[in-house]
Amino acid sequence: MTHRFIAACRRQPVDRLPVWMMRQAGRYQPSYRAVRQKVGFLELCRSPELIAQVTVAPIDEFGFDAAILFSDILVHLPAMGLDLSFEKGEKGKGDGGPKIANPVRNRADVDALKIPSPKKDLPYVLDGVRAIRTALQGRVPLIGFVGGPFTVASYVVEGGSQGFTRLKTMLYAEPKTAHALFEKLTQAAIVQIEEQIAAGAEAAQIFESWLGELDRFDLEEFSFPYLARIAEAVRKAGVPVIFFGTGMGGHLERIASLGFDVVSVDWRMPIEDARARLPNVAVQGNLDSTVLLGPKDVAVERARRIMQAAGPKPGYIFNLGHGLQPPTPVENVKAVVDAVHAFNWK
Ligand code: CP3
């Protein structure tokens, strides 16, 4: 039987609305913090046993309708030749942002980047996928993921979470270098997602979180052709492909036209507008994750308003507009998941 999350991706009718949350495995959970007391973030990403443990925990704890591989959009960068670390992100300390000691600044730096071989360079990710599938026993589907070329490039060029000025300047001053970089990051994304699917991932989400930084001309020149290639690779592999970005409300139809089965929307636009504009793809979102920091009944009421507005037409997946935040009370997460499962349109 098709699981309700996969059915919703395919715009088929479901018995009840599916719900999962980005960063559903993370620091808001006491069980995750206990694991991070013992191991650093990258160490965690390199242990198939721990990957399976933290991926499956929120399914057991909250009853989400999909699991998402625990990893990061930057895990492959060391295999490309970049010196990646998570600052302050070691042994128990939170808020560790990514840092790249040798960022890419010119054509020679781009030419030196290697395309990773997932089987050789990232076996723990693929073993993690297999371990998760074994632990899940078919209860819910597993979502694999990769970062979008623009979002990954922003870390690679800036050297960390330092904005977008250097990368955007590269687009205008050195467009050939920028294209060469996006080409390599696209190839790296495609091999990784193909291998995750071969190992057992049953859907794929492309995290292009910061794409809203670009205007329409830059999107067309520097992003959309690459995203279309990643979407095509996933579709060829036979699983649904989900776009995730923020600040993309002005470009929803164009995103859908790139070949995605599901388009995510953040909290900056009415969900009913997104659904009306995207009759031929599924839509995922759009609760502001900050709402979950407030009182439980407010969070539940806001979730209900979104479901009411999204409407009963098949092809809607309840999610947040961006990831769960570390101070979120676990009881709010539980209450919202239960409210989604209990929801019926009047
Ligand atoms: O959604 C999931 O739970 C799956 C796992 C996942 C993580 N990161 C775990 C993580 C996924 C899909 C990501 C994607 C990711 N990583 C993105 C795009 C999605 C988004 O949130 O916009 C980005 C930009 C990154 C890069 C990254 N990783 C940053 C900027 C940081 C530091 C900020 C932060 O939240 O700590 C990370 C670390 C990270 N990735 C954590 C987790 C659970 C926290 C690590 C810790 O335990 O200290």
Side-chain angles (χ1 to χ4, degrees):
M1 207 195 69
T2 309
H3 192 276
R4 67 175 70 92
F5 167 76
I6 299 292
C9 290
R10 302 271 187 228
R11 291 180 294 126
Q12 294 160 359
V14 286
D15 57 343
R16 57 190 197 188
L17 279 178
V19 48
W20 71 281
M21 295 182 190
M22 290 174 283
R23 295 280 170 99
Q24 65 192 19
R27 286 161 294 186
Y28 77 102
Q29 290 173 294
S31 62
Y32 177 86
R33 291 198 301 270
V35 173
R36 284 281 284 102
Q37 282 300 322
K38 298 190 210 112
V39 295
F41 175 64
L42 279 176
E43 218 178 322
L44 171 50
C45 291
R46 288 171 183 155
S47 159
E49 294 74 28
L50 292 176
I51 289 173
Q53 183 186 323
V54 301
T55 299
V56 176
I59 310 305
D60 296 334
E61 289 168 26
F62 306 104
F64 288 112
D65 292 296
I68 181 159
L69 167 66
F70 189 87
S71 187
D72 197 84
I73 63 167
L74 308 177
V75 279
H76 60 298
L77 296 185
M80 295 188 79
L82 296 171
D83 181 2
L84 171 74
S85 58
F86 281 79
E87 277 189 324
K88 295 188 273 124
E90 301 311 307
K91 303 249 187 229
K93 286 189 227 146
D95 305 308
K99 190 167 164 38
I100 292 157
N102 54 340
V104 167
R105 293 285 158 79
N106 53 47
R107 184 61 197 245
D109 294 340
V110 174
D111 290 343
L113 292 174
K114 295 184 278 286
I115 306 299
S117 153
K119 283 201 180 90
K120 190 165 68 65
D121 300 319
L122 307 159
Y124 42 84
V125 174
L126 307 179
D127 289 339
V129 168
R130 288 183 275 264
I132 296 164
R133 286 293 305 270
T134 302
L136 285 174
Q137 290 289 317
R139 273 179 293 161
V140 297
L142 172 62
I143 306 168
F145 71 88
V146 287
F150 177 78
T151 299
V152 175
S154 73
Y155 295 94
V156 163
V157 171
E158 307 290 339
S161 307
Q162 277 137 34
F164 308 92
T165 311
R166 278 181 200 270
L167 174 58
K168 290 183 71 174
T169 305
M170 187 192 279
L171 306 186
Y172 313 123
E174 295 284 338
K176 286 208 175 84
T177 301
H179 275 296
L181 174 59
F182 293 133
E183 176 62 36
K184 284 200 166 172
L185 294 178
T186 299
Q187 288 178 25
I190 288 173
V191 291
Q192 288 178 88
I193 202 65
E194 284 177 344
E195 292 287 352
Q196 286 179 26
I197 295 164
E202 296 156 285
Q205 179 153 316
I206 314 306
F207 281 88
E208 195 55 295
S209 312
W210 311 132
L211 201 58
E213 288 295 319
L214 294 184
D215 75 14
R216 56 185 300 189
F217 305 111
D218 292 335
L219 287 170
E220 290 297 343
E221 181 173 355
F222 294 104
S223 170
F224 290 160
Y226 299 102
L227 284 175
R229 280 166 54 194
I230 299 171
E232 190 196 2
V234 176
R235 284 170 83 109
K236 275 209 181 116
V239 306
V241 56
I242 308 167
F243 172 84
F244 172 76
T246 63
M248 294 301 290
H251 309 282
L252 296 183
E253 296 87 347
R254 186 71 182 98
I255 293 284
S257 80
L258 300 175
F260 289 95
D261 298 294
V262 184
V263 174
S264 306
V265 289
D266 66 18
W267 62 96
R268 297 176 177 95
M269 66 175 299
I271 189 78
E272 65 272 31
D273 292 359
R275 299 218 67 202
R277 285 167 54 190
L278 300 172
N280 300 317
V281 299
V283 172
Q284 169 174 279
N286 77 333
L287 184 70
D288 183 348
S289 62
T290 315
V291 168
L292 288 173
L293 305 183
K296 189 165 77 181
D297 23 315
V298 174
V300 165
E301 175 51 27
R302 292 302 188 94
R304 288 201 185 112
R305 281 195 216 170
I306 286 171
M307 292 183 280
Q308 188 65 40
K313 194 171 67 133
Y316 172 62
I317 298 155
F318 189 92
N319 204 321
L320 309 175
H322 207 156
L324 265 165
Q325 299 180 35
T328 306
V330 288
E331 52 278 15
N332 289 10
V333 174
K334 180 81 184 121
V336 168
V337 171
D338 291 346
V340 176
H341 285 155
F343 188 79
N344 257 306
W345 292 272
K346 286 175 215 81

